Amino acid sequence: MSVLVFEGFLSTPQMLALFDESAIVQAMMDFEAALARAEAKAGVIPQSAAQAIASLCRAELYDVTGLVAASGRAGSLAIPLVKKLTETVALFDPAAAGYVHWGSTSQDVIDTAMVLQTRRALRLIDDDLLSLCGHLLDQAEAADSIPMLARTLMQPALVSSLRCKLLNWLMPLLRSAQALRAQADEALLLQLGGAAGTLASLGDKADAVASQVAAELRLRLPEQCWHTQRDRWVRLGAELGVMCGSLGKLARDLSLLAQAEVGEMMEGAVSGSGGSSAMPHKRNPVACMQALAAAQRAPQRVAALLACMGQEHERGLGGWQAELAEWTGLLLSSHGALQALAGALAGLRIEPERMRANIERLDDLVAAEGLALLLARVCGKARAHQLVEGLSQQVVAQGRPLRALAQGLWQGDAEFSRGISADELDAVFDVQAAARHADARVHKVLLTARSQWQSLMDQPLAP
C-alpha cells in the first residue's frame, strides 16, 4: 500500500484516475465491445450477439478488484475479464456468449486498452506542457534586457540575460511537445493480431474487422500486428523520458536560484505547498522536488522499456508484462512533474534587483573575459590572459573592483592608452550592454518559439 501512496504523491489525480483498476478494465471492455460490433458488421458473428456483448461491456457491472486479483494467477488481466464477460453474457443470451472475444487474444485487448489510456494521458501531458511553455514564453517576452549572471561549473561566469535563461528552459520543452505528438501518431495503433499475429481465425474477414475496430476506437491501423514489435511504443516512452530530463534541468536551475543565498527566482506561491513540519519560516520548492523526482526515475523506466524489447518470437514471456508496469509509472511521474512546474511557473517570482546585486558583488570579475579580449588587441592573447588573471587575483585578495584595477593598468601603460580608448574600456564593464547583447542573440529564437507554441495551441490533441 505504501508504494501506491508514494507513487500517487509524485503524480496527479487525473493521471491516477486514468490508470486505476476500473479505468483499465473499462478500456479493455471498450475494445471487446468494438470487436464484437466490427465482427457483426463484417458478418463474422450475429448482430444480436454483438448487441448482447456490447451492452454488458461496462466495468461497473463487475467486481474489478476481484478481476485484478485473479489476473496474477491467470498470467493476464484479460483472462479473468473475458471469462467473467462470457459468463455474464451467457446469463442473458447463451448463444451470444460463444462469440465473446472471437478471434482475438489477451495481448490484443490489453495493448489496445493501454493505447486508449495513453492517448488520454498524452492529452493531459500536452495541455500542461503547453501551459508551462506558455508561461515561460510570456516571461521571456516581458524580460527586456534584464542582466543575469551566467554560471558555469556552478561558478559565476559572465553576464547573460534573464531572457536567455528562460529560453534555455523553454526550447527543449517545445521540442518535446512537437516530438511527443509526432511519436504518438506513430505509436498509438490498434493491436489486433489474434493468437499468433495472423488473425487466422477471421479468415478473409480479418482486414474488414481490423479496419472497423480501428475506426470505432479512432486508432490508426498498423501494417501488421505489433505483439513483439515494440519499437514505436518504446520510442514514445523515450520521448517522455527526454521531456522529464528537460523538466529536471529546469527544476534543478530554479531550485538553485531560489536558495536564500541567491534569491533570484522562486516558485509561485501555492496554498498549502512548501511548508516545513519543523521550521515555520521555510517555503520549500515542492514543484521542483516533484520534477526532479520524475527526472531521476525516468532514465531507469526508459531503460527498462528498452530492456523489454527482446521479446521472444511472436509473443513475449515476461518482457511485455514488465513493460506494462514501467509504462504506467513513466506516465504517472511525467504528468506529476509537468503539472507541478506549470503551476509554479504561472506565478514565478523574478527578482531583477537581486540578479543585479549578485553581479555587482563580484567586483566586475564577470567582465574578465571581455577585458582580456580587449587587451589582446594590443599585447596578444597569451599576455592579455596573464595580465587579467593577475588582476583578478588582486580583486579577490584586496576587494578592489576589476574595473578600477584595469583603469590603473590602462592609465599607467602608454601602449594600452594608445591602443584602447576610454570608451572601449568602459564598455567592457557595461552590464546592461551585455544583457542587450544576450537578448539580441536570442531575438529570432524568441520569435520562433512564439510561432511554434501558437501552432501547437491552434491544433489541440483529440481527447
Side-chain angles (χ1 to χ4, degrees), residues 9 258 266-290 340 344:
F9 167 71
M266 278 136 290
E267 293 180 7
V270 177
S271 178
S273 174
S276 166
S277 62
M279 294 168 281
H281 69 283
K282 288 191 72 180
R283 200 163 66 76
N284 296 312
V286 173
C288 290
M289 176 196 68
Q290 285 190 257

Side-chain angles (χ1 to χ4, degrees), residues 8-90:
F9 167 71
L10 294 172
S11 188
T12 64
Q14 302 97 311
M15 196 64 78
L16 288 165
L18 278 182
F19 290 99
D20 74 7
E21 296 173 347
S22 294
I24 294 295
V25 166
Q26 185 58 60
M28 294 171 69
M29 290 289 190
D30 291 342
F31 169 84
E32 294 293 349
L35 176 66
R37 284 191 286 261
E39 290 176 335
K41 190 169 185 178
V44 175
I45 69 173
Q47 184 66 40
S48 59
Q51 290 173 346
I53 294 167
S55 69
L56 295 169
C57 286
R58 305 202 312 274
E60 66 267 20
L61 300 177
Y62 303 88
D63 176 9
V64 171
T65 301
L67 292 176
V68 172
S71 69
R73 298 186 299 274
S76 164
L77 178 56
I79 292 172
L81 182 144
V82 170
K83 180 182 177 182
K84 186 56 66 174
L85 176 60
T86 302
E87 291 173 355
T88 305
V89 172

Side-chain angles (χ1 to χ4, degrees), residues 172-333:
L173 294 173
L174 266 181
R175 288 191 288 271
S176 279
Q178 294 167 325
L180 282 170
R181 288 190 178 199
Q183 198 53 50
D185 285 343
E186 291 291 318
L188 298 182
L189 305 171
L190 174 70
Q191 182 73 283
L192 183 58
T198 62
L199 279 181
S201 58
L202 296 181
D204 61 2
K205 301 295 180 64
D207 286 345
V209 170
S211 295
Q212 185 58 37
V213 174
E216 179 159 340
L217 297 176
R218 296 184 296 109
L219 295 174
R220 286 180 53 229
L221 187 65
E223 70 282 351
Q224 185 182 10
C225 95
W226 46 284
H227 287 157
T228 53
Q229 295 180 28
R230 312 307 286 184
D231 57 308
R232 287 177 289 208
W233 192 241
V234 172
R235 281 195 186 94
L236 177 57
E239 290 294 350
L240 286 167
V242 169
M243 180 195 73
C244 285
S246 296
L247 292 171
K249 188 278 187 290
L250 191 166
R252 184 76 67 193
D253 282 359
L254 181 54
S255 60
L256 291 170
L257 293 168
Q259 292 181 109
E261 301 87 336
V262 181
E264 295 182 3
M265 290 191 201
M266 278 136 290
E267 293 180 7
V270 177
S271 178
S273 174
S276 166
S277 62
M279 294 168 281
H281 69 283
K282 288 191 72 180
R283 200 163 66 76
N284 296 312
V286 173
C288 290
M289 176 196 68
Q290 285 190 257
L292 287 167
Q296 287 163 0
R297 300 171 76 204
Q300 289 77 19
R301 294 198 185 281
V302 174
L305 294 179
L306 290 166
C308 292
M309 289 184 71
Q311 297 181 21
E312 301 81 6
H313 301 301
E314 282 64 56
R315 299 278 296 286
L317 178 68
W320 173 61
Q321 291 79 8
E323 176 199 282
L324 290 170
E326 297 295 345
W327 188 263
T328 302
L330 182 58
L331 286 166
L332 289 172
S333 57

